[in-house]
């Protein structure tokens, strides 16, 4: 590989256009996006014209076979993550795959296995890990400022934020609703800050109460007649190390705020809310709230892509590992399974 990373994009929709292309472009001389593939060729064509990408395909298999690439961004609906990632890894590419890793734990395991076998980087688009708040809090946690983290609360709740574009309300293509789409972001953030503990017991409920009828849509008009996902998921996860995490996530719920993305952590030396960052401690007989007076600016997505590029070029670690992708996918699956059966799901090691 030369010092210039040759990147291909699989899927030319919202996240490719809004995040991946502009962020790769900001990496400057060290990156060239040289090919885009989308089953809807016009989407690929449009993106390629906007960003002066020379090669356009309507099949990623053809793109991988015909263009020499070092790395690939996978930006397709969830159902197509696993086949696209595996094909790209087998073709010798490093891969940044959008979240969630996959549709099922089995797919995530196979993706991790192929990454190991090929020796290529596989990382996932959990961009909140790259936020200034999370980066700062991680340093406090690593320095022992929160002590033993034994409880966490995760919220990813919109009042009326059912996506009116893409396939986000189609269970067959996405694997689920808010849990696998936005809940997974805050779940990953909490797990990352907690050191990715192994889950042991999972209890979940899902509800479809608002999305399957006509109503106010703050993120566009959605197809309520063919709405096949949950509006809301609630869960509780117990980990092998004794910690407990509770989770609430919704595309639509009768709550006050339009959109809340939050992780709260509680340890025996301190606690924290992450967005915005606030740390809670008891020191010298006083209860303290710590607020950062300064946080670095810049976009989480740009930091994520910058780190992926650096990992590809220098062999540095990517922040999110394929094994963590397997753990988060096992939790998501267990939450849906528990909701379906009404029973808690015990996970094997
Ligand atoms: N990190 C984030 O914050 C974030 C935000 C939005 C979306 N995403 C993720 O990105 C992925 C894509 O979401 P989006 O909003 O860009 O969706 P989108 O519907 O806007 O775009 C998806 C594109 O993929 C194309 N496509 C579908 N199947 C394909 C295939 N087999 N091969 C090639 N192209 C194919 C579609 O034609 C479409 O152009 C999803 O997994 C989603 O969860 C992540």
């Amino acid at each position: 590989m030369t010092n210039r990373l040759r990147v291909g994009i699989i899927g030319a929709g919202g996240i490719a256009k809004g995040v991946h292309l502009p962020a790769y472009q900001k990496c400057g001389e060290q990156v060239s996006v040289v090919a885009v593939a989308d089953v809807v060729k016009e989407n690929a064509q449009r993106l390629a014209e906007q960003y002066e990408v020379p090669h356009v395909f309507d099949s990623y298999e053809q793109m991988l076979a015909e263009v020499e690439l070092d790395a690939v961004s996978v930006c397709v609906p969830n159902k197509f993550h696993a086949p696209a990632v595996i094909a790209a890894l087998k073709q010798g590419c490093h891969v940044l795959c959008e979240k969630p890793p996959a549709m099922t734990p089995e797919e995530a395991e196979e993706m991790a296995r192929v990454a190991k076998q090929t020796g290529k980087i596989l990382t996932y688009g959990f961009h909140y890990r790259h936020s200034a708040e999370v980066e700062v809090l991680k340093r406090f946690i690593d320095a022992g400022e929160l002590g033993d983290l034994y409880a966490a609360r995760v919220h990813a709740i919109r009042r009326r934020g059912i996506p009116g574009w893409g396939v986000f309300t189609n269970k067959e293509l996405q694997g689920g609703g808010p849990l696998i789409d936005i809940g997974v972001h805050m779940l990953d953030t909490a797990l990352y800050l907690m050191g990715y503990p192994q889950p042991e017991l999972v209890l979940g409920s899902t509800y479809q109460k608002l999305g399957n009828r006509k109503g106010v849509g703050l993120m566009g008009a959605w197809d309520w007649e063919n709405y096949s996902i949950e509006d809301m998921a609630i869960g509780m996860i117990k980990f092998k190390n004794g910690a407990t995490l509770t989770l609430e996530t919704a595309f639509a719920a009768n709550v006050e705020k339009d959109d809340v993305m939050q992780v709260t952590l509680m340890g025996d030396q301190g606690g924290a809310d992450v967005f915005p960052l606030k740390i809670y401690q008891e020191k010298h007989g006083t209860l303290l709230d710590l607020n950062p007076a300064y946080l670095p600016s810049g976009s989480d997505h740009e930091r994520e892509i910058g780190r992926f590029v650096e990992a590809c070029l220098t062999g540095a670690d990517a922040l999110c590992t394929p094994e963590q992708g397997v753990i988060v996918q096992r939790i998501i699956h267990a939450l849906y399974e528990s909701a379906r059966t009404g029973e808690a799901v015990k996970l094997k090691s």
Side-chain angles (χ1 to χ4, degrees):
M1 190 173 79
T2 61
N3 280 342
R4 191 162 215 203
L5 196 72
R6 291 168 57 84
V7 175
I9 307 286
I10 300 180
I15 195 74
K17 181 171 186 265
V19 167
H20 289 246
L21 264 297
Y24 282 124
Q25 204 170 48
K26 284 221 167 137
C27 293
E29 288 296 299
Q30 51 182 351
V31 177
S32 267
V33 178
V34 293
V36 186
D38 196 298
V39 279
V40 181
K41 198 167 183 183
E42 302 80 72
N43 291 356
Q45 197 78 52
R46 215 174 304 125
L47 196 64
E49 273 162 24
Q50 189 180 347
Y51 286 93
E52 296 176 13
V53 180
H55 301 289
V56 174
F57 296 88
D58 60 9
S59 134
Y60 64 78
E61 290 92 342
Q62 199 185 349
M63 176 181 89
L64 293 170
E66 291 186 13
V67 185
E68 204 181 307
L69 298 168
D70 304 309
V72 154
S73 270
V74 172
C75 303
V76 286
N78 302 346
K79 182 172 180 173
F80 309 108
H81 285 191
V85 165
I86 290 169
L89 289 169
K90 285 189 171 166
Q91 199 61 38
C93 298
H94 300 300
V95 180
L96 167 57
C97 174
E98 265 308 333
K99 45 51 64 175
M103 298 280 274
T104 64
E106 291 74 22
E107 285 181 353
E109 280 161 17
E110 181 62 6
M111 291 151 85
R113 197 188 62 73
V114 177
K116 197 164 181 187
Q117 185 189 54
T118 56
K120 293 292 161 187
I121 295 164
L122 168 59
T123 192
Y124 296 112
F126 286 121
H127 63 87
Y128 287 89
R129 288 193 192 200
H130 299 269
S131 65
E133 290 86 346
V134 171
E135 286 185 354
V136 168
L137 181 58
K138 186 78 169 71
R139 293 204 290 274
F140 275 73
I141 291 171
D142 289 348
E145 292 274 349
L146 304 197
D148 175 27
L149 289 170
Y150 57 89
R153 211 162 51 207
V154 160
H155 283 165
I157 299 199
R158 297 178 187 157
R159 183 166 178 165
R160 288 295 186 275
I162 301 171
W165 69 94
V167 296
F168 293 95
T169 57
N170 180 328
K171 190 171 177 186
E172 213 241 314
L173 294 177
Q174 285 293 102
L179 173 58
I180 201 164
D181 187 49
I182 53 174
V184 72
H185 267 307
M186 292 298 97
L187 176 61
D188 172 75
T189 304
L191 292 172
Y192 170 64
L193 290 167
M194 296 166 86
Y196 251 86
Q198 285 290 336
E200 188 169 47
L201 194 67
V202 175
L203 183 65
S205 302
T206 57
Y207 299 92
Q208 192 196 67
K209 298 280 187 186
L210 307 174
N212 55 356
R213 67 186 198 209
K214 213 172 181 170
V216 176
L218 299 182
M219 290 192 169
W222 75 98
D223 181 5
W224 60 271
E225 284 164 307
N226 295 298
Y227 185 87
S228 53
I229 54 158
E230 80 279 4
D231 313 313
M232 174 178 248
I234 296 180
M236 177 169 170
I237 299 119
K238 287 193 75 166
F239 298 92
K240 288 203 168 70
N241 66 4
T244 305
L245 180 151
T246 60
L247 167 149
E248 288 177 29
T249 181
F251 277 161
N254 285 318
V255 291
E256 182 195 4
K257 300 211 167 116
D258 286 349
D259 197 345
V260 173
M261 297 290 269
Q262 183 61 287
V263 169
T264 303
L265 298 174
M266 288 154 270
D268 60 5
Q269 300 300 313
D273 283 320
V274 186
F275 304 111
L277 180 58
K278 212 166 178 184
I279 294 172
Y280 312 109
Q281 290 180 317
E282 179 184 336
K283 275 190 175 161
H284 311 297
T286 307
L287 294 177
L288 292 175
D289 293 353
L290 303 178
N291 301 298
Y294 159 83
L295 283 173
S297 58
S299 120
D300 311 354
H301 284 294
E302 281 169 20
R303 276 196 281 264
E304 170 193 287
I305 297 228
R307 178 122 180 202
F308 174 60
V309 167
E310 189 195 340
C312 295
L313 289 173
T314 68
D317 285 341
L319 193 57
C320 176
T321 67
E323 292 71 29
Q324 291 169 345
V326 171
I327 293 176
V328 82
Q329 204 75 49
R330 290 178 78 202
I331 294 175
I332 298 283
H333 181 74
L335 285 165
Y336 280 132
E337 204 42 28
S338 170
R340 189 180 67 78
T341 61
E343 305 279 338
V345 174
K346 194 147 183 127
L347 292 169
K348 295 189 198 85
S349 318

